[in-house]
Amino acid sequence: MPAKKHQNTSSCNNADEWLFKKIATAPRPLPAGRFPNILAEAEREGFDRESLLAVLDLWLNYGYCRIIDPITQDIALTEEGMRYFY
C-alpha cells in the first residue's frame, strides 16, 4: 500500500516535528549514517523530500547540525544541536 502524503500546507512543520522526535530518540551522539536512514523512513511515512530538506536547511541555519556527507545528506549534531534535541 503506498504511503499517504502529508498535507502540503503544514508539511514543513509536520516534518520538523517528526524528524525532531526521531533524532531525539536516536542513540547519542547521533551515529554517522543514521540521518540518511531517518530521511528514508520519513519518505516511507509519506513526507515529501522537499519538506524534509527544508527542515534540514533550517537546522543548518540555526547551527544545530553540520553536513558530514553531502551526497547522502548525513549530518553531525553540533553542541547547540545536542542541547536542542536532547
Side-chain angles (χ1 to χ4, degrees):
M1 178 162 86
K4 188 168 51 171
K5 289 284 184 190
H6 291 271
Q7 292 181 352
N8 286 339
T9 56
S10 63
S11 62
C12 191
N13 288 336
N14 291 339
D16 183 40
E17 292 172 12
W18 193 92
L19 287 172
F20 177 90
K21 288 177 187 174
K22 284 296 182 176
I23 291 178
T25 59
R28 299 175 193 183
L30 187 66
R34 183 66 174 251
F35 191 71
N37 293 338
I38 291 172
L39 286 177
E41 184 180 345
E43 286 184 285
R44 286 191 301 272
E45 289 289 321
F47 292 100
D48 64 278
R49 188 87 171 161
E50 192 173 307
S51 295
L52 296 168
L53 294 180
V55 171
L56 180 56
D57 283 342
L58 285 174
W59 289 351
L60 288 166
N61 288 333
Y62 294 150
Y64 296 154
C65 61
R66 60 184 173 79
I67 300 281
I68 57 174
D69 186 344
I71 294 172
T72 64
Q73 294 162 331
D74 197 9
I75 64 169
L77 298 180
T78 62
E79 207 172 296
E80 184 67 29
M82 296 290 274
R83 285 192 295 273
Y84 176 68
F85 291 107
Y86 308 124

Short mmCIF file of all heavy atoms in Angstrom, two decimals, residues 25 34-35 55 59 69 71:
data_model
loop_
_atom_site.label_atom_id
_atom_site.label_comp_id
_atom_site.label_asym_id
_atom_site.label_seq_id
_atom_site.Cartn_x
_atom_site.Cartn_y
_atom_site.Cartn_z
N THR A 25 15.18 10.56 19.89
CA THR A 25 15.15 9.19 20.41
C THR A 25 16.27 8.32 19.84
O THR A 25 16.37 7.15 20.21
CB THR A 25 13.79 8.52 20.14
OG1 THR A 25 13.55 8.50 18.73
CG2 THR A 25 12.67 9.26 20.86
N ARG A 34 23.18 7.52 10.32
CA ARG A 34 21.82 7.35 10.86
C ARG A 34 20.82 8.32 10.22
O ARG A 34 19.69 7.95 9.94
CB ARG A 34 21.85 7.55 12.38
CG ARG A 34 20.55 7.33 13.10
CD ARG A 34 20.14 5.86 13.00
NE ARG A 34 18.98 5.58 13.78
CZ ARG A 34 18.99 4.87 14.89
NH1 ARG A 34 20.10 4.33 15.32
NH2 ARG A 34 17.89 4.66 15.55
N PHE A 35 21.24 9.57 9.98
CA PHE A 35 20.31 10.56 9.46
C PHE A 35 19.78 10.21 8.07
O PHE A 35 18.58 10.37 7.82
CB PHE A 35 20.91 11.97 9.48
CG PHE A 35 19.89 13.04 9.20
CD1 PHE A 35 18.91 13.35 10.13
CD2 PHE A 35 19.90 13.72 8.00
CE1 PHE A 35 17.95 14.32 9.87
CE2 PHE A 35 18.96 14.71 7.74
CZ PHE A 35 17.98 15.00 8.67
N VAL A 55 13.49 21.45 6.31
CA VAL A 55 13.76 21.34 7.75
C VAL A 55 15.26 21.26 7.99
O VAL A 55 15.79 21.95 8.87
CB VAL A 55 13.03 20.12 8.36
CG1 VAL A 55 13.47 19.89 9.79
CG2 VAL A 55 11.53 20.29 8.28
N TRP A 59 17.69 23.74 10.27
CA TRP A 59 18.59 23.27 11.32
C TRP A 59 20.03 23.69 11.05
O TRP A 59 20.75 24.05 11.97
CB TRP A 59 18.50 21.76 11.45
CG TRP A 59 17.21 21.27 12.04
CD1 TRP A 59 16.22 22.02 12.60
CD2 TRP A 59 16.77 19.92 12.12
NE1 TRP A 59 15.18 21.22 13.02
CE2 TRP A 59 15.49 19.93 12.74
CE3 TRP A 59 17.31 18.72 11.73
CZ2 TRP A 59 14.78 18.76 12.98
CZ3 TRP A 59 16.60 17.56 11.97
CH2 TRP A 59 15.35 17.59 12.59
N ASP A 69 28.36 14.47 5.04
CA ASP A 69 28.41 13.80 3.75
C ASP A 69 27.34 14.42 2.85
O ASP A 69 26.15 14.12 3.00
CB ASP A 69 28.17 12.31 3.90
CG ASP A 69 28.35 11.54 2.60
OD1 ASP A 69 28.36 12.16 1.51
OD2 ASP A 69 28.48 10.30 2.67
N ILE A 71 26.58 13.93 -0.20
CA ILE A 71 25.90 13.03 -1.14
C ILE A 71 24.73 12.33 -0.46
O ILE A 71 23.63 12.30 -0.98
CB ILE A 71 26.90 12.01 -1.73
CG1 ILE A 71 27.91 12.78 -2.58
CG2 ILE A 71 26.17 10.94 -2.55
CD1 ILE A 71 29.06 11.97 -3.08
#
